[in-house]
Amino acid sequence: QVQLVESGGGLVQAGESLRLSCAASGRTRNIYTMAWFRQAPGKERQFVAFIRWSGTSTYYTESVKGRFTLSRDIAKNTVYLQMNSLKPEDTAAYYCAADKGPAGTAVGVYDYWGQGTQVTVSS
């Protein structure tokens, strides 16, 4: 099993930045992909970005390209989502996910999930 714990959410104004962290524990050797999803009230959970644990590739949904950046610290088993130029439409609960394979953008593929951290962007 893999446990994921998110942190770093909060309330910011439009144009400001936040950095989310996702710390993995347990059988972290099994992790191949880590990702972030987000879910706004009344909406489905949506893909934001993923990173291969090897660091060889990242992929972002179009709406966050150029504003959000994924990175990982292998020694700390932690993935970071740096979010710049935040917009009110980025407001959502952000969830970290992990998978043992080359998972992509589909919610249902990921094996492990964190509890989420709330990001609220005021206009």
Side-chain angles (χ1 to χ4, degrees):
Q1 291 291 327
V2 173
Q3 294 78 43
L4 303 174
V5 178
E6 303 98 331
S7 62
L11 171 63
V12 297
Q13 294 187 335
E16 295 184 340
S17 300
L18 278 175
R19 188 178 78 158
L20 304 184
S21 300
C22 175
S25 61
R27 301 176 73 89
T28 57
R29 284 188 174 183
N30 293 341
I31 297 174
Y32 189 91
T33 304
M34 291 189 73
W36 287 93
F37 290 78
R38 64 187 180 186
Q39 187 167 16
K43 295 188 177 181
E44 294 185 349
R45 193 168 296 187
Q46 295 180 330
F47 169 79
V48 176
F50 72 65
I51 184 169
R52 303 304 185 202
W53 193 242
S54 63
T56 54
S57 66
T58 56
Y59 182 79
Y60 302 87
T61 194
E62 193 64 34
S63 63
V64 308
K65 284 181 181 178
R67 300 189 297 123
F68 290 12
T69 303
L70 273 171
S71 62
R72 88 272 187 267
D73 185 329
I74 293 177
K76 294 183 179 180
N77 288 326
T78 299
V79 168
Y80 303 98
L81 182 67
Q82 178 66 43
M83 305 187 295
N84 298 329
S85 302
L86 282 162
K87 304 175 181 180
E89 50 263 44
D90 294 318
T91 295
Y94 282 70
Y95 296 90
C96 178
D99 193 76
K100 299 186 292 290
T105 63
V107 172
V109 173
Y110 286 81
D111 295 322
Y112 308 104
W113 291 86
Q115 294 300 306
T117 185
Q118 179 67 35
V119 172
T120 303
V121 184
S122 63
S123 58

